[in-house]
Each structure stands twice: as structure tokens, then as C-alpha cells.
């Protein structure tokens, strides 16, 4: 017998002399394969049956994927489960990429086996704003076992970089891209006057050792003349990081020196008033530590107190002219006085120092206080998924700040998707906040820059997915025991579509059904079938437009059994769309069909109908034969009398009505 094997005894019988079969004492037992074998990193989907033809399905746990021909094993006549050649391999992916310290990258990989060494491939391409071709390109591997690795890159300043990171071992992953902009350092700054007619300044570190040419445009004017009395232009070429140059200036003129850097065309103006020859109260004036000033006094006046008046003017990025900042006196007897000023970052200053003992003795210097990224963008915080908050430099809160936002969004699961925005934000707040209009289920790079300071910061943001869009289905009412319903795909607008599930509910449970319930309820897990079950599950990649499914066809779809529907019951069929991404799960549900009073199948009805017709015909034949026999035996009856007798007999009428509804045809027979 199918499903059984011989346990012991003799399976042959012999006919004996007594006329009876003897010798057969065969004992059979049902085929039992026992408990299925275990595959590492999987969970078993199994109805606990170990009989012939039973199946157990294996599903890889989170962080692993199945690599093989099939994911199930079946109990065979040899009382063993079939071998499965497939295995679950660790699944690796890169997420939550962020940039810190301007050139360092931090990311997370999907959790897997602890201590597993992962090899990453970095592909770096850098372009400068004034160049079309690639300025800097590198390709290298990086190995790390941490689940949140960090990598600091050696990137030249003043360059826009595209950094692609992908996993190449143990399994390749989809590459992620991050944009990095390395801030260009100051062109030249800290210009100061020394020895009355000499200038020195500081070039930015990135150009030290590179030959640079400066053009000096010197314009001198005597106090009582309106026109320039002394004008000259000089070229000066140097490779030094702290160049110095002494200019041919007259002692009786006030000068304006325009310095133009040849490579960048950056221009800086310096006013110079040469000191009187007979007084040397202010010589060798220089700037150190960014905001500090030191100078030398005349040796003959050493240890004699001298008072200096500081008059400080400032110019913000949005102002065309300098405005008054502060005035104070400083008294000292030192030969080399030093004063440190409290100046705001990101602002240009002109400092006029005058000796009280001789009002004609003064020095005029310019100080450009540069801001750093950590001063302008500190405590950067992402909240509510799409909002940003940061803290400004407290010294700049009395001025309006304008930020430029450049936002780019991409999706790995939707290659054609690209979302880009550019806009400005102006604020006085110490802790600005902004909520961005971002699409769900998207990786964004947000570049925030301050035009006035030429500083920027790059923030990586990942938005959560939202509920999938409702599928386009037309609610239908059916009576067929095996209705055919059709399915259309849903686009990945709110996140990647992962699964489609078909849920069968008793009609009286429809009002109590929650979309996030019955996520794993199979037909076998609920013996009473009172609360509904999942009849089928399809991977999104396997679903095509206008795909059909027949309810109750006794097939497995995924891990779910499409059980036959019970007759005489009302059902509600629900279609659930599931989206899973970045450890977030969302779903949407829609009522798909109403199944009313499930009728028996067509074949039994036809059989019953044909049987009824045959019975009626047989009864009519017997009645007609009996009547004729009686008439021949008795007095003949006129034809009219026989007709009346026939009409008085009980007549049987068989009518057939065909009703057609979407989902199936039914024959209904009436007897009256």
C-alpha cells in the first residue's frame, strides 16, 4: 500500500489442501522519516508530518541568504529526508554612511558572524571646481572585522570627491556613494607691516613650496593733496610659506597697497602710514596666534611707560565698508609689547595703534580671523528622520547667517530614482533647525555651506520607508469554491516592495482584522480556521502584472498552503503588500474579494441532475405501461377520456437555469 513498508513476516501465501490460503503473516508499518536534519543559520517551516511525501522548508535567518537549487526536503520511500545541497551564506551590506573630520568616513555593515573579516573596495575620484578632468583618483582595498568601521582618507584640500565603497569579500554588495568636499584653506592672510615700509603675510599650507607671483599696486597720497603723488606697480615671486617684501615708500605719504595673488586673482588692500623717522615707538608690528599683535619700542624709551590707543574696525562678509568695533588704551613699559584682541571668527579687521606721546606715530594692520568648520557647525543632530539641528558660533549670533543646501537622494533598489534640491536658509538663531522634504526609503547626502566663510559640512541621512501604496484591485463578489482572482504590481514609491500576501478571513472577522496581524498564520497553525490564515505569499520579483491565482488549489506558495475553501461559508479575501528595508517593516492591506455561500462544485450537481432525470423518466414509463394494460383489458375508452385521465396524473417538470458570475459558472436545478 502506498505510504507503507513491510516491517516483518512472510508476504507469500500458499493454497493448502484444505482449500485455504496459509503462510502469509505480513506486518506493514507507515513510512516515517523521523525529524528532518538541521541546516546551519536556518529556521524550519514544517507541519510536523514525517510521513511519505511530507515536506520541510528551510528559510535563512536574518543576515543570511540561501545559495542552492531548492530550499525544501521531502520524505522518501527509503524513510529518509532528501539531501539539500544549498547553504545559507552571510549577507553583507553597507548602510548609515557618514563623514566626520572632513576626510574620515564611518559606516555600518549588516550583522553577521562575529569577527568576520570583510574586504571593502574604495574608489575615490576628486575634481576641483575650476577643472573638468579628474584631479585625484585612487583605488584600494580596506579590511575590517568591526560592524561599524572607520577610515580616514588622505585627500588634498579644495577638492570635491566622490567616494564609492563596496564589499568584495565574503560576498559582493551594492556599492554606496558619499560626497566629500575638502575646504580650501585661506589664500593668504595675517598681513602685517614691519620696519615702517615692509610687509609680511602667510600663505595657505597647501601651496607652500609652489612658486607664486604677487602684483603690488602702490598708491601714495600726501595729506594736503587730493590726487596721488606716488604710484608704482611691482611683481614679487616667491615659494616661501611666510613671504616678506620691503616697498619703496616715502615717509611723508599715506599709502594704499593692493596685493593680487596671480593664481587665484585674490586681491587684498592694505593701508600703510610710514612712521616718522625721529620716533620709533611702533616698529616691527606683527600678528601671531591669529588675533594677537606685538611690536618693538625705541631702545632709548625702554622701561618708560607708554600708552597706546587701539582703534578697531571690522568688516563682515555682507558689508561693503568697515564699521567701528571698539576703542581701548593699553599702557606698557616693555620693549616688546604684546596684546591679544577678542575678535570674532570669519571677520576682517583693521587695527590702528597710536602712541599717546606722539599722535603722529601710528601703525595700521589688517587681521582676517578665519572660521573653522567645528566653530560654524557644531553638535550636528538628525531628528525626526528628516530634520537637522546644529549650533552656531556664539560670537556670530549677532549677525544673520545664510546657508546653502545642496541635497541629493538615491535608492539602491530603484536605479532610475534621483532626487535633488538646492535652496538657501537665512537665520539669526544660535541653534538653527530645518526639516527637509525628503522621499521615504532613500539615502541622502546633504551638503550645507556658508558662502561668506567658504566652509561646508556633509551630512548623510537615510529616511525610513512608509506604508506601500494601495494596489489597484477591483472588489468582486464570488460564489465559486475555487475562484480565480488577478493581481497587479505596486511600484516602489514609498520603499522596496518585498512580498505580496493573500489572506483568507471568515466574513464575520473582517471588521476585527488589523493589517499587521496574521503575519505568519498558516492554514495548519489554526485548526479551527476561525481567525483566518495566509493562503499564499509571493516575492515581489516573482509578481507580474495581471498575474492570477486560484484560491483553494491545494498548492504551496512560499511557506503557506492554499487550502480548499469550506462549502456554505462566507469569506473575505485581503491582499497585503509588505515592504521591508533597513530593519523597518511596513504594510498596506485592501479587501480583494467577498466569497458568498460557497456552492458545491459543478460535477456533483450534474450527476445528481442526471440521476433525477433518469428516475422521472422510469416512473413515467411504468405509468404509461400500466395504463395501456388496463385499457386493453377493459372497455375501450374514448380518446378524449384518456386525455383527461392523463392530465389528471401528477406531472414532473425539470428546469435547468444557468447563472454566470465572475469567478465561475454554476448549474442550479429546480424541482416542482
Amino acid at each position: 500500500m502506498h505510504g507503507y513498508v513491510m516491517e516483518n513476516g512472510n508476504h507469500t501465501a500458499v493454497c493448502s489442501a484444505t482449500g485455504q490460503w496459509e503462510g502469509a503473516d505480513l506486518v506493514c508499518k507507515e513510512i516515517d522519516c523521523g525529524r528532518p536534519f538541521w541546516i546551519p543559520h536556518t529556521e524550519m517551516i514544517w507541519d510536523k508530518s514525517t510521513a511519505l511525501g511530507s515536506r520541510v522548508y528551510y528559510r535563512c535567518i536574518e543576515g543570511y541568504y540561501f545559495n542552492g537549487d531548492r530550499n525544501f526536503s521531502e520524505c522518501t520511500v527509503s524513510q529518509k529526508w532528501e539531501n539539500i545541497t544549498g547553504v545559507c551564506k552571510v549577507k553583507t551590506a553597507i548602510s548609515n554612511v557618514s563623514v566626520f573630520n572632513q576626510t574620515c568616513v564611518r559606516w555600518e555593515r549588516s550583522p553577521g558572524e562575529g569577527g568576520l573579516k570583510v574586504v571593502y573596495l574604495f574608489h575615490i575620484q576628486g575634481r576641483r571646481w575650476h577643472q573638468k578632468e579628474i584631479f585625484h583618483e585612487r583605488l584600494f582595498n580596506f579590511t575590517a572585522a568591526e560592524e561599524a568601521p572607520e577610515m580616514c582618507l588622505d585627500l588634498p584640500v579644495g577638492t570635491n570627491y566622490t567616494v564609492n565603497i563596496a564589499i568584495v569579500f565574503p560576498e559582493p554588495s551594492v556599492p554606496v556613494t558619499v560626497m566629500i568636499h575638502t575646504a580650501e584653506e585661506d589664500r593668504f592672510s595675517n598681513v602685517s607691516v614691519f620696519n615702517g615700509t615692509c610687509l609680511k603675510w602667510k600663505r595657505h599650507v597647501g601651496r607652500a613650496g609652489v612658486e607664486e607671483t604677487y602684483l603690488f599696486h602702490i598708491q601714495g597720497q600726501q595729506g594736503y593733496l587730493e590726487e596721488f603723488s606716488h604710484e608704482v606697480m611691482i611683481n614679487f615671486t616667491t615659494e616661501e610659506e611666510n613671504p616678506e617684501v620691503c616697498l619703496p615708500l616715502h615717509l611723508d605719504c599715506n599709502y594704499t597697497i593692493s596685493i593680487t595673488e596671480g593664481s587665484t586673482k585674490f586681491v587684498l588692500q592694505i593701508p600703510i602710514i610710514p612712521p616718522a623717522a625721529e620716533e620709533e615707538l611702533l616698529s616691527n608690528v606683527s600678528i601671531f596666534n591669529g588675533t594677537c599683535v606685538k611690536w618693538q619700542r625705541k631702545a632709548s624709551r625702554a622701561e618708560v611707560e607708554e600708552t597706546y590707543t587701539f582703534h578697531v574696525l571690522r568688516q563682515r562678509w555682507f558689508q561693503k565698508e568697515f564699521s567701528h568695533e571698539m576703542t581701548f588704551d593699553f599702557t606698557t613699559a616693555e620693549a616688546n609689547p604684546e596684546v591679544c584682541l577678542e575678535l570674532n571668527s570669519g571677520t576682517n579687521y583693521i587695527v590702528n595703534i597710536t602712541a599717546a606721546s606722539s599722535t603722529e606715530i601710528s601703525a595700521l594692520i589688517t587681521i582676517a580671523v578665519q572660521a573653522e568648520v567645528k566653530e560654524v557647525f557644531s553638535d550636528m543632530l538628525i531628528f525626526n528622520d528628516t530634520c537637522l539641528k546644529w549650533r552656531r558660533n556664539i560670537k556670530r549670533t549677532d549677525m544673520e547667517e545664510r546657508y546653502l543646501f545642496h541635497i541629493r537622494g538615491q535608492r539602491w533598489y530603484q536605479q532610475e530614482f534621483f532626487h535633488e534640491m538646492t535652496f538657501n536658509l537665512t537665520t539669526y538663531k544660535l541653534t538653527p533647525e530645518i526639516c527637509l522634504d525628503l522621499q521615504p526609503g532613500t539615502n541622502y547626502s546633504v551638503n550645507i555651506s556658508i558662502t561668506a566663510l567658504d566652509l561646508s559640512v556633509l551630512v548623510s541621512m537615510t529616511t525610513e520607508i512608509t506604508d506601500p501604496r494601495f494596489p489597484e484591485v477591483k472588489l468582486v463578489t464570488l460564489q465559486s469554491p475555487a475562484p480565480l482572482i488577478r493581481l497587479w504590481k505596486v511600484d516602489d514609491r514609498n520603499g522596496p516592495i518585498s512580498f505580496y500576501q493573500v489572506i483568507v478571513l471568515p466574513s464575520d472577522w473582517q471588521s476585527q482584522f488589523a493589517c499587521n496581524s496574521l503575519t505568519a498564520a498558516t492554514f495548519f497553525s489554526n485548526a479551527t480556521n476561525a481567525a483566518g490564515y495566509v493562503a499564499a505569499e509571493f516575492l515581489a520579483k516573482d509578481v507580474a502584472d495581471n498575474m492570477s491565482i486560484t484560491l483553494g488549489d491545494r498548492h504551496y506558495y512560499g511557506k503557506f498552503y492554499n487550502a480548499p475553501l469550506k462549502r456554505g461559508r462566507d469569506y473575505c479575501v485581503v491582499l497585503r503588500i509588505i515592504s521591508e528595508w533597513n530593519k523597518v517593516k511596513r504594510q498596506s492591506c485592501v479587501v480583494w474579494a467577498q466569497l458568498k455561500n460557497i456552492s458545491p462544485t459543478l460535477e456533483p450537481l450534474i450527476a445528481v441532475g442526471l440521476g433525477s432525470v433518469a428516475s422521472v423518466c422510469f416512473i413515467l414509463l411504468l405509468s404509461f405501461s400500466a395504463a395501456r394494460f388496463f385499457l386493453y383489458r377493459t372497455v375501450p375508452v374514448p380518446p378524449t377520456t384518456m386525455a383527461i385521465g392523463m392530465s389528471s396524473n401528477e406531472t414532473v417538470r425539470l428546469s435547468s437555469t444557468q447563472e454566470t458570475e465572475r469567478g465561475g459558472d454554476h448549474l442550479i436545478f429546480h424541482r416542482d
Side-chain angles (χ1 to χ4, degrees):
M1 181 181 294
H2 181 72
Y4 289 81
V5 294
M6 183 178 72
E7 183 176 18
N8 54 51
N10 186 10
H11 63 276
T12 304
V14 178
C15 182
S16 65
T18 62
Q20 295 180 345
W21 293 98
E22 297 178 353
D25 57 352
L26 178 66
V27 177
C28 296
K29 69 172 183 178
E30 186 178 7
I31 292 176
D32 187 352
C33 290
R35 182 171 179 81
F37 51 83
W38 177 75
I39 298 179
H41 312 303
T42 65
E43 57 182 14
M44 290 189 296
I45 302 169
W46 179 40
D47 60 0
K48 308 301 181 182
S49 173
T50 59
L52 178 66
S54 299
R55 284 187 177 183
V56 56
Y57 290 83
Y58 295 90
R59 182 171 63 186
C60 296
I61 63 177
E62 184 177 357
Y64 292 80
Y65 70 96
F66 188 80
N67 183 25
D69 296 332
R70 64 179 187 177
N71 66 337
F72 67 89
S73 177
E74 189 171 307
C75 180
T76 63
V77 294
S78 63
Q79 302 192 73
K80 294 182 180 179
W81 294 96
E82 292 177 313
N83 289 328
I84 293 181
T85 58
V87 295
C88 288
K89 293 187 176 182
V90 64
K91 182 192 301 180
T92 54
I94 300 174
S95 60
N96 297 333
V97 183
S98 61
V99 180
F100 64 99
N101 293 342
Q102 282 204 340
T103 61
C104 297
V105 183
R106 180 188 296 116
W107 66 94
E108 295 180 3
R109 67 172 177 88
S110 57
E113 297 181 355
L116 176 66
K117 289 188 176 181
V118 177
V119 180
Y120 301 88
L121 175 65
F122 278 73
H123 184 199
I124 302 173
Q125 291 180 312
R127 287 182 174 87
R128 289 185 170 171
W129 65 271
H130 59 284
Q131 295 174 331
K132 293 183 179 180
E133 65 276 5
I134 295 176
F135 168 74
H136 180 211
E137 185 170 15
R138 286 186 63 196
L139 193 68
F140 63 92
N141 289 335
F142 172 69
T143 303
E146 298 85 3
E147 292 188 0
E150 296 179 358
M151 177 68 176
C152 289
L153 307 172
D154 184 15
L155 305 178
V157 298
T159 308
N160 295 321
Y161 284 94
T162 301
V163 181
N164 290 300
I165 311 172
I167 297 175
V168 295
F169 177 83
E171 289 294 333
S173 72
V174 177
V176 296
T177 302
V178 63
M179 306 298 295
I180 298 178
H181 172 71
T182 54
E184 186 170 352
E185 299 183 14
D186 309 331
R187 294 171 176 86
F188 63 95
S189 59
N190 292 347
V191 181
S192 61
V193 182
F194 66 100
N195 293 340
T197 62
C198 299
L199 292 175
K200 63 180 177 181
W201 62 95
K202 180 180 178 61
R203 298 173 62 193
H204 62 71
V205 178
R207 296 190 60 82
V210 178
E211 190 173 82
E212 184 66 76
T213 299
Y214 297 87
L215 173 64
F216 288 80
H217 184 195
I218 304 170
Q219 293 174 308
Q221 184 181 31
Q222 291 182 334
Y224 57 91
L225 296 177
E226 294 183 0
E227 297 180 354
F228 292 113
S229 58
H230 183 207
E231 186 171 4
V232 66
M233 300 185 72
I234 300 174
N235 284 328
F236 175 69
T237 302
T238 181
E239 294 180 356
E240 296 179 359
E241 183 178 351
N242 298 286
E244 295 181 1
V245 62
C246 291
L247 306 175
L249 306 182
H250 300 164
L251 297 180
D252 56 347
C253 292
N254 296 328
Y255 286 91
T256 300
I257 314 296
S258 297
I259 310 173
T260 303
E261 190 176 52
S263 63
T264 63
K265 306 304 180 186
F266 180 73
V267 180
L268 186 65
Q269 283 192 338
I270 306 294
I272 294 180
I273 302 176
E278 63 275 9
E279 295 288 344
E280 294 182 1
L281 299 176
L282 283 168
S283 62
N284 295 335
V285 181
S286 62
I287 302 169
F288 66 100
N289 292 341
T291 60
C292 297
V293 182
K294 63 181 178 181
W295 65 95
Q296 290 181 351
R297 297 176 61 197
K298 186 179 179 180
S300 59
R301 298 182 64 87
E303 298 183 0
V304 177
E305 280 193 350
E306 182 69 45
T307 299
Y308 297 88
T309 300
F310 284 74
H311 183 62
V312 183
L313 302 176
R314 74 174 178 182
Q315 182 189 43
R316 296 173 179 171
W317 64 269
F318 56 85
Q319 294 175 330
K320 294 182 179 180
E321 298 178 353
F322 284 86
S323 60
H324 177 74
E325 171 72 6
M326 59 182 168
T327 301
F328 65 92
D329 291 335
F330 173 71
T331 302
T332 180
E334 296 179 0
N336 298 287
E338 296 181 359
V339 173
C340 289
L341 307 174
E342 186 176 351
L343 305 179
N344 294 329
S345 61
T347 308
N348 296 325
Y349 291 89
I350 291 180
V351 181
N352 185 25
I353 310 172
T354 305
S357 60
S358 177
T359 56
E360 295 181 357
I361 304 300
S362 65
L364 194 64
I365 59 174
T366 61
I367 301 177
V369 184
Q370 301 300 320
E372 297 182 2
V373 173
K374 63 182 180 181
E375 291 182 284
V376 181
F377 299 100
S378 62
D379 301 331
M380 181 67 72
L381 175 67
I382 302 174
F383 66 99
N384 292 342
D385 203 25
T386 61
C387 298
L388 290 173
K389 178 167 63 176
W390 65 94
R391 184 177 180 84
R392 296 173 58 198
N393 187 343
I394 194 170
K395 295 181 180 180
R396 296 180 60 86
T397 53
D398 61 337
M399 66 179 71
E400 188 179 66
E401 200 77 86
R402 184 172 64 182
Y403 299 88
L404 173 64
F405 284 74
H406 188 189
I407 303 172
R408 293 182 177 181
Q410 291 179 299
R411 294 171 174 172
W412 64 265
Y413 56 87
Q414 198 174 11
Q415 297 296 328
E416 69 277 9
F417 178 87
F418 183 74
H419 184 208
E420 186 172 21
M421 293 187 295
T422 302
F423 61 92
N424 292 323
L425 170 69
T426 303
T427 181
Y428 279 97
K429 293 182 179 180
L430 175 62
T431 55
E433 295 182 7
I434 184 171
C435 289
L436 307 173
D437 185 16
L438 305 181
Q439 298 294 322
T442 308
N443 294 320
Y444 282 93
S445 61
V446 182
N447 185 279
I448 312 172
S449 59
I450 300 180
T451 308
L453 302 179
D454 196 21
L455 294 175
S456 64
V457 65
L458 188 67
V459 182
S460 294
M461 303 176 68
T462 300
T463 56
E464 287 189 358
I465 59 175
T466 57
D467 293 344
R469 299 185 66 200
F470 288 105
E472 295 182 4
V473 298
K474 184 177 181 181
L475 178 63
V476 295
T477 302
L478 308 171
Q479 288 187 337
S480 172
L484 180 70
I485 51 181
R486 298 190 180 277
L487 171 65
W488 279 263
K489 286 179 68 68
V490 177
D491 60 22
D492 298 326
R493 183 172 300 181
N494 298 336
I497 303 301
S498 304
F499 303 100
Y500 294 74
Q501 285 187 344
V502 180
I503 303 172
V504 177
L505 299 171
S507 289
D508 52 358
W509 269 80
Q510 180 179 347
S511 60
Q512 305 176 40
F513 174 71
C515 189
N516 60 354
S517 63
L518 300 178
T519 55
T522 66
F523 176 80
F524 301 106
S525 65
N526 191 353
T528 63
N529 195 24
Y533 59 92
V534 179
E537 182 182 81
F538 303 94
L539 292 174
K541 65 181 180 64
D542 298 332
V543 175
D545 275 334
N546 202 20
M547 189 177 86
S548 62
I549 176 176
T550 301
L551 289 181
D553 63 2
R554 294 181 171 88
H555 291 165
Y556 273 92
Y557 295 92
K559 66 177 182 179
F560 299 99
Y561 178 61
N562 188 10
L565 304 177
K566 294 185 178 180
R567 299 175 183 175
R569 296 197 61 178
D570 294 344
Y571 290 97
C572 170
V573 182
V574 175
L575 176 62
R576 174 160 56 202
I577 311 299
I578 300 175
S579 179
E580 292 181 343
W581 187 63
N582 206 20
K583 301 180 181 179
V584 177
K585 181 178 181 180
R586 294 285 186 268
Q587 55 269 323
S588 296
C589 295
V590 63
V591 177
W592 201 356
Q594 298 283 356
L595 307 180
K596 300 293 186 181
N597 191 22
I598 302 300
S599 302
T601 57
L602 184 61
E603 292 79 8
L605 283 176
I606 294 175
V608 172
L610 293 176
S612 299
V613 171
S615 299
V616 170
C617 292
F618 181 74
I619 293 172
L620 290 175
L621 180 62
L622 290 178
S623 300
F624 181 75
S625 299
R628 290 196 62 181
F629 178 79
F630 177 78
L631 289 175
Y632 280 113
R633 292 269 181 182
T634 60
V635 180
V637 181
T640 55
T641 306
M642 186 170 69
I644 295 172
M646 287 291 293
S647 64
S648 65
N649 289 337
E650 181 183 3
T651 62
V652 177
R653 178 169 55 88
L654 180 66
S655 65
S656 176
T657 304
Q658 184 173 5
E659 295 181 355
T660 303
E661 293 184 7
R662 185 174 182 181
D665 296 337
H666 310 275
L667 291 177
I668 302 175
F669 298 92
H670 303 277
R671 183 185 181 97
D672 46 20

